[in-house]
Each structure stands twice: as structure tokens, then as C-alpha cells.
Amino acid sequence: MPMDLKENKPLKAVTSSARRSFKTHSYRESIGYALEGLFFAFKQERNIRFQSVMMGLVILCAFFFGVSRVEWVILLLCCLMVLAAELANTCVEWLVDLVTDNHYSLIAKRVKDIAAGTVFLTAVFSVVIGGIIFIPYLLNWLF
């Protein structure tokens, strides 16, 4: 049986009427909240702005070299994965800071490091994939 670890009591079952009360906004409002979150993250997080600029550079290079449709899809997916990883990392960092009340904890540090490692891994492999796609175009353009 699931337990509330703070109070050491069994968790109460959530009724279907209680579940419905959380979903009181429309799809339009949900999209508005999502966009608000994206704009907030863009304003607050330097790394998200950097990743967005790099995405713009990738798109410009893709137009310039005239990459194929399949290459477009691969490049856009790589860009999206890096941005999504960066947003998830931002969420993890903010949640860890909230839970720890900004006090140092080795576990909190490890959680943040793992989330940052996810972004790093995604970005490195995206750069490798970008190199595989763009280097032949670049060499063809230069020579």
C-alpha cells in the first residue's frame, strides 16, 4: 500500500470527481501555459538561449546547403532533443533548489549533475550527427 512518508500514514485514494477538478482549463489555456513556460525559460536560462541560437545556425546552414528532407528531419529532431533535454534539466535544477531550499546536499548535486550530463550527451551526439550531415556539403562547397 502506498504510504505518505512524511506522516507515515497510508495515502488516501483519489476519487474520480477529485481527479476531474484538476482539469478545469481548456486546450487553449493549456497551450498558453506551455508557451508561457517556454518564454519564461528562454528569458531566464542562458543555456536555452544559446541552444536556440545554435538551432537557428543549424537551420540557416541547412537552407544554405540544401539538405535533403530526411536530413532536415534528422537535424530538426536533434535540435528538438537538445532543447527538450535543456528544458528538462532546467526543471530538475529548479525542483532540486525548491526541495533543498537552496542548501547544499550531495544527493541534490548528483541529481543536478546527472540532468546536466543528459544535456551534454544529447548535445555531443547532435553535433556528431550534424557533422556527419554537414561535412560532406561543406567539403563539396569548398572544393
Side-chain angles (χ1 to χ4, degrees):
M1 171 177 267
M3 299 287 288
D4 182 346
L5 296 179
K6 285 186 178 178
E7 297 182 20
N8 202 20
K9 293 192 282 185
L11 289 175
K12 294 179 183 173
V14 178
T15 63
S16 61
S17 62
R19 269 187 246 132
R20 271 188 247 124
S21 67
F22 289 113
K23 297 182 180 185
T24 59
H25 47 270
S26 68
Y27 288 114
R28 180 180 285 177
E29 288 173 317
S30 296
I31 291 169
Y33 297 142
L35 291 174
E36 186 178 324
L38 289 173
F39 289 129
F40 176 80
F42 186 82
K43 283 188 228 172
Q44 294 294 317
E45 297 296 323
R46 178 192 66 201
N47 289 339
I48 291 175
R49 289 191 300 272
F50 175 77
Q51 302 294 356
S52 298
V53 168
M54 291 297 105
M55 182 177 172
L57 186 62
V58 166
I59 290 171
L60 286 175
C61 288
F63 274 120
F64 179 77
F65 290 122
V67 300
S68 72
R69 284 186 184 191
V70 171
E71 291 168 330
W72 264 109
V73 169
I74 292 168
L75 290 170
L76 291 174
L77 282 173
C78 285
C79 291
L80 176 66
M81 285 188 338
V82 172
L83 282 174
E86 192 66 62
L87 287 166
N89 179 50
T90 298
C91 288
V92 168
E93 288 182 351
W94 281 60
L95 282 171
V96 166
D97 290 344
L98 176 69
V99 169
T100 62
D101 200 23
N102 289 315
H103 291 103
Y104 178 80
S105 161
L106 183 60
I107 294 173
K109 178 192 181 316
R110 297 283 189 243
V111 169
K112 285 182 165 188
D113 290 348
I114 290 168
T118 303
V119 177
F120 177 74
L121 199 61
T122 307
V124 166
F125 277 97
S126 293
V127 168
V128 169
I129 291 168
I132 290 169
I133 291 173
F134 284 126
I135 287 174
Y137 285 103
L138 184 61
L139 292 176
N140 198 22
W141 181 71
L142 289 174
F143 303 108

